[in-house]
Amino acid sequence: MRGIKSLDDAELLALVLESKTQATTLLEEYGSLSNIANTPTNRLRMTAGLGVKLSERIQAAVEIGRRISTINGAVEEVITSSEDVVKMMRPLLQELKHEECWAIYLTNSNRVVERCRISQGGVQATVVDQRLIVKRALELLSTRLIIVHNHPSGSATPSGADFDITKRIKEATSLFDIQLLDHIIITATEDYSFKSNGRL
């Protein structure tokens, strides 16, 4: 008997949808599982006659995968450079069509305690509450953190809002002796480190 790991993309998607025809149609329309995963529910439900229930089932499967990836990826990882952060976070962020901001909480030795999404927004911006970032750091007894967010536009150049967010987070964390090590912007092909560019 074939195991799940041996299934191709169409067969795997067919298990979720309980329809090989709809799975094949979706892959032909969007090209890959990754593209399907990053397609809004309201658009998915209009494809291949999925409807609301099946399109939400796809999004639920995607979210389960992302959460498992987040948990597994944070186990015993140690950050030594901005490249480590990019390697860790790019798979989660590079193909999103909206902005997401994540916090990576670290120990004094830069071991990852937790990484979590702290906000998500539209195509061009996301609202970040520095108080929630600090609150979670205190709960985890984390003394260091790194902020990461994506730019769906494809350009990693920071905006004025990005500089403002970095300043606010740094000021808030410093009040509690929590060190903001870096703020990194990620796209599919580019990345920008505030620390490496002397902006932190």
Side-chain angles (χ1 to χ4, degrees):
M1 181 177 179
R2 298 173 64 196
I4 291 293
K5 292 183 179 180
S6 68
L7 301 181
D8 61 27
D9 289 352
E11 292 171 324
L12 194 61
L13 187 58
L15 284 180
V16 175
L17 297 176
E18 298 180 352
S19 169
K20 186 174 182 179
T21 299
Q22 288 178 318
T24 301
T25 300
L26 278 175
L27 284 170
E28 289 176 350
E29 175 73 19
Y30 297 106
S32 69
L33 288 177
S34 178
N35 290 339
I36 293 173
N38 290 302
T39 299
T41 301
N42 60 352
R43 183 178 173 188
L44 277 179
R45 67 185 179 86
M46 301 299 291
T47 307
L50 289 183
V52 176
K53 184 177 180 179
L54 289 181
S55 59
E56 288 182 344
R57 183 183 294 179
I58 291 174
Q59 294 298 336
V62 170
E63 185 61 23
I64 289 171
R66 284 179 177 162
R67 293 186 185 187
I68 291 173
S69 176
T70 298
I71 293 170
N72 290 342
V75 176
E76 296 301 321
E77 285 187 300
V78 176
I79 300 299
T80 60
S81 66
S82 60
E83 287 77 14
D84 289 342
V85 177
V86 173
K87 183 179 179 180
M88 177 195 298
M89 298 301 298
R90 176 166 276 151
L92 292 175
L93 299 174
Q94 64 181 347
E95 295 186 12
L96 295 180
K97 305 304 180 185
H98 60 275
E99 281 201 12
E100 289 192 358
C101 187
W102 288 64
I104 303 174
Y105 296 98
L106 309 165
T107 65
N108 280 328
S109 58
N110 288 348
R111 181 179 62 81
V112 176
V113 178
E114 179 181 275
R115 58 177 179 169
C116 65
R117 182 174 58 197
I118 54 178
S119 69
Q120 67 180 58
V123 174
Q124 296 183 331
T126 182
V127 177
V128 177
D129 189 335
Q130 65 271 21
R131 294 169 298 182
L132 295 179
I133 295 173
V134 170
K135 178 177 181 291
R136 186 56 180 159
L138 294 174
E139 291 172 347
L140 295 170
L141 301 179
S142 172
T143 55
R144 297 179 173 185
L145 66 88
I146 296 170
I147 299 299
V148 186
H149 83 278
N150 65 308
H151 276 182
S153 66
S155 170
T157 303
S159 65
D162 293 333
F163 284 109
D164 180 60
I165 288 170
T166 305
K167 180 181 178 181
R168 288 192 286 110
I169 295 174
K170 184 177 181 179
E171 290 175 348
T173 54
S174 64
L175 293 175
F176 297 89
D177 294 323
I178 300 167
Q179 185 179 5
L180 177 62
L181 296 181
D182 206 346
H183 179 181
I184 298 174
I185 300 170
I186 291 176
T187 73
T189 58
E190 301 178 7
D191 57 85
Y192 180 95
S193 163
F194 277 68
K195 181 180 180 180
S196 297
N197 284 276
R199 305 307 298 267
L200 187 62

